[in-house]
Amino acid sequence: MALPKFMIADDPVTDPENEYIFHTEPPRFFAKRVEEDEDHAYIDIVEELDNVDEFFKDKPEGKQQLLEDLEDWYYAYLEWLEEEEEEEDEEDDEF
């Protein structure tokens, strides 16, 4: 079985405030959503298992594209979570 390209990881015991995105393919790394303020946030790499810059040394635009793909995936994931919560609320209201 192949792993998905991106996975959500969290640590509710020692770091309950953060949710991480694990990129499972080379270059492997953990990223998270960083909030500068209420209106500005972005996805950034916070821990590298593989050297990301070295991986993209011949194609630096590849790193930017990967981060954009990761961001698109993450926001789609958040939308999916919201839809799931709404469906659960509707189901709870039916009883």
Side-chain angles (χ1 to χ4, degrees):
M1 179 181 116
L3 289 174
K5 185 174 184 175
F6 303 114
M7 296 175 70
I8 293 296
D10 63 8
D11 184 356
V13 175
T14 61
D15 192 7
E17 298 298 315
N18 288 302
E19 186 171 64
Y20 296 89
I21 306 119
F22 178 46
H23 183 250
T24 64
E25 301 173 355
R28 297 166 304 147
F29 60 84
F30 286 92
K32 74 175 186 175
R33 185 171 186 263
V34 178
E35 294 185 22
E36 291 182 342
D37 56 39
E38 288 182 19
D39 299 325
H40 298 91
Y42 58 94
I43 303 289
D44 198 14
I45 295 171
V46 294
E47 183 71 32
E48 296 180 2
L49 300 173
D50 301 323
N51 188 320
V52 176
D53 289 330
E54 180 69 22
F55 185 87
F56 289 110
K57 70 179 178 195
D58 295 327
K59 190 179 177 189
E61 66 276 3
K63 178 181 176 182
Q64 185 60 36
Q65 183 60 52
L66 177 57
L67 289 175
E68 289 174 11
D69 293 347
L70 186 151
E71 188 171 292
D72 291 345
W73 178 88
Y74 183 69
Y75 288 114
Y77 161 73
L78 291 179
E79 286 180 23
W80 174 83
L81 273 182
E82 193 173 295
E83 290 171 3
E84 286 294 307
E85 287 178 8
E86 288 173 1
E87 287 179 14
E88 287 178 9
D89 288 345
E90 289 174 5
E91 289 174 5
D92 289 345
D93 290 345
E94 290 177 5
F95 293 105

